[in-house]
């Protein structure tokens, strides 16, 4: 028997207009992008490698191929990991030039913590933000939301006063977002930032049952402060080679689909895909030796769907709470399906009037 949820998905795809090929049906998708790679970077803490080879992040041709592949699956832009060093400044300038020729957007995630996860001096952060503003505030490549977007990674390690002191001088020309991991954390710094982007790469839809509710609560708080909310979603996670403890199985795309559904349901201003090429944490969707281009295919599929339709998780399929498991539940679900179809037809009819 055909599942009712599958039938509903088919009917919606037929009755509602679909985005053009390569288009994104929802909010902008911004993928976290790392420019720290040298050829020898691939010799440390890696279990998978790019199909493009063990590249250097100085290679403009690699950047161009990344951008074209990302655009083909509905990614709007990259959120580039950066702080001001000679190497990263040079690579950001190269990437900006390539993005300009490819009509692709860029944002920044400013690395406010050092290698040992300690906060950088506030004066260093302030200087770097001013340097970025002077060089890129007027560059259309960075105008994702009219002004360049900078996510300050590690705001939970800084005081409210330090954040205000570093971000305050640039907020008229830049959007500076926090990276808080909890509702209380965001509320603590809300007055000093323009929103929040939660970098949650290790969430597991099977274990973290409250994850979707947490994203929605954070979204509500950010929007109450008139800020931008960037919701995270990731294909999986495994950082054991850099002392991580949690492993989130990819489940052939199911993890990515469910995280996308939770993110999109939190009413985000943009979606933060974790990640394009974070190979140490194995959250990458860049085509790789282990996965091929499987996760580009999955992302292309889900970004073209306005509202994800997901079946219950396999682990929960025997639950007595599943309304499709009994005749009464089946009748209720069938009635809901019929009402949904009628509503869709009514919407289409109204939209078709002059």
């Amino acid at each position: 028997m055909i599942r009712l949820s599958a039938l509903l998905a088919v009917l919606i795809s037929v009755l509602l207009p679909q985005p053009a090929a390569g288009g994104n049906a929802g909010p902008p998708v911004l993928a976290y992008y790392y420019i720290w790679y040298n050829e020898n970077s691939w010799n440390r803490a890696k279990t998978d490698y790019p199909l493009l080879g063990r590249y250097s992040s100085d290679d403009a041709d690699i950047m161009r191929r990344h951008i074209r592949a990302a655009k083909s699956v509905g990614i709007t832009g990259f959120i580039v990991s950066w702080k001001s060093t000679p190497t990263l400044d040079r690579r950001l300038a190269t990437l900006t030039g390539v993005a300009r020729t490819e009509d692709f957007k860029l944002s920044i995630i400013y690395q406010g913590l050092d290698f040992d996860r300690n906060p950088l001096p506030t004066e260093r952060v302030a200087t770097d933000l001013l340097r970025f503003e002077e060089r890129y505030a007027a560059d259309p490549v960075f105008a994702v939301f009219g002004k360049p977007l900078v996510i300050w990674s590690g705001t939970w390690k800084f005081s409210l006063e330090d954040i205000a002191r570093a971000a305050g001088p640039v907020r008229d020309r830049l959007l500076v977002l926090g990276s808080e991991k909890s509702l209380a954390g965001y509320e603590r710094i809300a007055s000093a930032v323009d929103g929040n982007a939660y970098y949650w790469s290790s969430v597991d839809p099977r274990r973290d049952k409250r994850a979707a509710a947490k994203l929605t609560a954070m979204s509500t708080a950010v929007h109450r402060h008139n800020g931008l909310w960037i919701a995270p979603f990731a294909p999986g996670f495994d950082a054991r080679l850099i002392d991580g403890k949690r492993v989130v199985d990819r489940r052939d795309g199911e993890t990515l689909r469910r995280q996308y559904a939770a993110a999109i349901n939190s009413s985000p201003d943009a979606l933060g895909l974790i990640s394009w090429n974070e190979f140490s944490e194995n959250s990458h969707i860049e085509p790789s030796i282990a996965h091929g281009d499987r996760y580009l295919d999955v992302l292309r599929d889900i970004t073209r769907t306005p509202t994800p339709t997901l079946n219950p998780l396999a682990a929960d399929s025997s639950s007595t709470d599943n309304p499709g498991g009994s005749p009464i539940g089946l009748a209720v679900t069938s009635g809901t399906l019929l009402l949904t179809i009628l509503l869709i037809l009514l919407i289409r009819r109204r939209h078709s009037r002059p």
Side-chain angles (χ1 to χ4, degrees), residues 301-321:
D301 179 40
I302 62 179
T303 58
R304 292 178 178 178
T305 305
T307 305
T309 301
L310 299 173
N311 292 323
L313 285 167
D316 301 329
S317 61
S318 61
S319 171
T320 57
D321 295 332

Side-chain angles (χ1 to χ4, degrees), residues 20-24 29 31 63-78 98-105 276 285 296 299-300 303-304:
N24 176 16
V29 177
M63 293 175 177
R64 190 176 306 278
R65 295 170 75 174
H66 283 169
I67 287 173
R68 290 180 176 178
K71 288 179 66 175
S72 74
V73 297
I75 293 174
T76 310
F78 285 152
V98 174
R100 186 178 296 113
T101 64
E102 297 293 331
D103 191 26
F104 193 68
K105 297 299 184 183
W276 180 263
I285 68 159
L296 294 189
L299 183 64
R300 182 187 294 109
T303 58
R304 292 178 178 178

Side-chain angles (χ1 to χ4, degrees), residues 193-273:
V193 294
D194 299 299
N196 199 69
Y198 186 6
Y199 194 100
W200 197 4
S201 54
S202 60
V203 60
D204 189 340
R206 289 178 180 260
R207 289 184 285 180
D208 301 313
K209 302 299 185 182
R210 299 283 302 165
K214 180 178 181 179
L215 296 186
T216 299
M218 293 186 72
S219 172
T220 300
V222 171
H223 289 148
R224 187 170 60 248
H225 288 277
N226 298 314
L228 292 172
W229 164 243
I230 300 183
F233 71 117
F237 181 83
D238 184 354
R240 286 175 292 180
L241 293 184
I242 52 173
D243 297 326
K245 305 301 181 185
R246 170 172 277 204
V247 176
V248 181
D249 195 286
R250 292 183 176 231
R251 301 185 182 94
D252 193 36
E254 182 70 3
T255 296
L256 186 64
R257 291 178 185 277
R258 292 191 175 277
Q259 290 201 29
Y260 175 83
I264 203 74
N265 287 333
S266 73
S267 302
D269 299 288
L271 294 160
L273 172 61

Side-chain angles (χ1 to χ4, degrees), residues 108-187:
I108 293 297
I109 178 166
Y110 179 80
Q111 297 298 335
L113 306 181
D114 63 19
F115 183 80
D116 296 315
R117 310 301 291 168
N118 295 315
L120 298 179
T122 304
E123 294 73 18
R124 162 76 185 278
V125 178
T127 300
D128 284 358
L129 292 179
L130 282 169
R131 181 174 290 123
F132 177 80
E133 178 205 30
E134 291 168 358
R135 183 160 189 179
Y136 295 112
D139 194 323
V141 168
F142 289 90
V144 178
F145 292 101
K147 296 191 291 187
L149 176 70
V150 177
I151 301 164
W152 181 339
S153 178
T155 49
W156 60 89
K157 287 284 186 82
F158 293 82
S159 70
L160 173 62
E161 293 73 23
D162 285 343
I163 294 171
R165 187 164 73 252
V170 300
R171 286 181 65 192
D172 58 336
R173 301 188 70 198
L174 305 179
L175 295 166
V176 181
L177 272 60
S179 56
E180 294 299 316
K181 300 181 285 187
S182 69
L183 185 59
Y186 168 70
E187 293 285 5

